[in-house]
Amino acid sequence: LIVERQCSGVEAIKNLDGKPVIASDTDNHRYFKRLRAGKDRVVLESMDSGGDYAPVILEMPGKGSNCLEQVWPVAGVLFELPD
């Protein structure tokens, strides 16, 4: 993954809705998912079309027990070609 500079959860909600990100929560988990900013919750949804991975629902930054904390915008993905 190619990531851009880290930003706060608040900044990510304003600027990265619908974009792929690496997101961390206050429980120190990290996720590679698409960020969806709701009115009172943040949803991190899987980009895998198979439906195998459930969305992660977080509280807004500073508003609950497990909140969106830091975000790294994903600028690109590099793949290695198989031999």
Side-chain angles (χ1 to χ4, degrees):
L1 295 175
I2 301 170
V3 296
E4 297 179 11
R5 73 169 181 82
Q6 175 183 349
C7 64
S8 70
V10 172
E11 185 179 343
I13 288 168
K14 291 179 185 175
N15 300 314
L16 299 173
D17 186 37
K19 306 283 186 183
V21 299
I22 296 174
S24 71
D25 62 21
T26 49
D27 287 341
N28 206 29
H29 296 111
R30 296 209 174 146
Y31 309 93
F32 171 47
K33 295 196 179 258
R34 184 179 325 278
L35 186 134
R36 296 291 185 190
K39 208 169 195 175
D40 57 350
R41 300 262 194 267
V42 175
V43 177
L44 301 174
E45 64 182 19
S46 176
M47 292 182 287
D48 180 6
S49 62
D52 295 333
Y53 304 98
V56 175
I57 300 172
L58 300 173
E59 303 287 336
M60 297 300 261
K63 302 284 184 183
S65 62
N66 192 17
C67 306
L68 180 67
E69 192 164 68
Q70 297 295 321
V71 176
W72 294 262
V74 174
V77 178
L78 296 177
F79 293 95
E80 186 174 310
L81 294 174
D83 291 333

